Amino acid sequence: MKRLLGIIFTASSILLAGCASTITSDVTAFHAWPTDLPDKSYVFTPTKDQEGSLEYRNYEQLVRAELQRLGFMDAAGAKAPVKATLKVAFSYGMQAGTVVVTQPVYDPFWYGPGYPGWRGRFGPWGPGPFYDPFWGPPMQTTAFPVFQRRLYLSITRADSDRKLYEVTVDSEGREATLPMAMPYMVHSAFSEFPGPSGVSRHVVLKLDKRAPAAPTATTSTTVKPAAPAQ
């Protein structure tokens, strides 16, 4: 997994509110899913870098659980030999950046009851001889770390390598917690499967602190058109 450092993001202070109780993901899926697919057997096709990775195996279990919920069958885990109809591949990563927030600094010594913005524009004693309508409090810029996480997953036909489904899930947070976020991102990737093709959806899942690997909370989804390809 690669972490790319040094990217600056400008965001509102809402991203900096305390401990989040939800994980929000931007999900964009494209698919040509057949109306009738009686055989849903599949195999995972890890890359050379993913083979032997314990982190990959952990996320593979999460994807397997979602596929099983949707009626797919892991051909590698079948009791009798099964030739898989589908191939499943996925990649993941996280990059670190910075959120920059600029906000006024309020000093009670200088900006107390006589400050022009206190109790109205001119304060309780009027504008006074030193009032300057353009004078305001000094500004302070604070930088906070932010981590952008991404999951990409595709399902293709094993006999022709024709893609049937591909989805990208983007999520961000204040902590470098890809393993904690991945169960929710995988769940979001398969929400409303196969769902509308070519649109971006805002998927919000409630955090389950008791069992973070099994996000069973309700999902709030807002559908909006995806941005055209540049």
Side-chain angles (χ1 to χ4, degrees):
M1 179 180 62
K2 296 181 180 179
R3 290 176 171 82
L4 307 178
L5 303 179
I7 298 178
I8 303 293
F9 301 97
T10 303
S12 63
S13 59
I14 192 172
L15 295 176
L16 307 177
C19 296
S21 59
T22 61
I23 285 187
T24 301
S25 300
D26 292 320
V27 181
T28 306
F30 294 89
H31 69 82
W33 200 256
T35 55
D36 184 21
L37 187 64
D39 186 354
K40 293 184 179 180
S41 59
Y42 70 91
V43 290
F44 286 103
T45 56
T47 64
K48 290 184 178 181
D49 291 338
Q50 292 172 337
E51 291 178 354
S53 168
L54 296 179
E55 182 180 20
Y56 173 85
R57 290 182 184 178
N58 182 275
Y59 301 154
E60 183 183 274
Q61 286 288 88
L62 299 174
V63 176
R64 181 180 289 108
E66 288 295 323
L67 291 172
Q68 182 178 356
R69 178 180 64 84
L70 294 169
F72 290 78
M73 182 187 68
D74 185 357
K79 294 182 180 180
V82 175
K83 184 178 180 180
T85 302
L86 306 170
K87 297 189 297 184
V88 178
F90 65 92
S91 59
Y92 49 88
M94 180 173 62
Q95 64 181 15
T98 303
V99 170
V100 178
V101 176
T102 301
Q103 55 190 356
V105 178
Y106 293 100
D107 187 332
F109 179 78
W110 293 104
Y111 306 108
Y115 173 62
W118 184 272
R119 298 182 187 174
R121 185 173 180 80
F122 301 106
W125 301 293
F130 303 105
Y131 170 69
D132 183 349
F134 298 102
W135 177 52
M139 304 298 288
Q140 173 178 282
T141 299
T142 308
F144 297 88
V146 64
F147 298 90
Q148 293 212 339
R149 306 170 287 242
R150 169 166 289 190
L151 167 67
Y152 171 80
L153 181 142
S154 66
I155 302 177
T156 62
R157 285 192 175 274
D159 56 355
S160 63
D161 284 334
R162 183 167 68 91
K163 284 189 177 181
L164 300 180
Y165 183 77
E166 58 180 353
V167 60
T168 301
V169 182
D170 289 312
S171 177
E172 69 177 27
R174 287 281 307 280
E175 299 179 359
T177 52
L178 182 61
M180 183 277 292
M182 189 59 71
Y184 301 90
M185 296 175 67
V186 171
H187 189 72
S188 298
F190 290 101
S191 65
E192 304 178 16
F193 179 87
S197 180
V199 300
S200 179
R201 296 179 290 118
H202 215 47
V203 180
V204 182
L205 291 175
K206 292 182 179 180
L207 284 172
D208 186 352
K209 296 182 180 180
R210 296 171 301 174
T216 57
T218 57
T219 303
S220 173
T221 305
T222 302
V223 179
K224 57 182 179 180
Q230 298 295 325

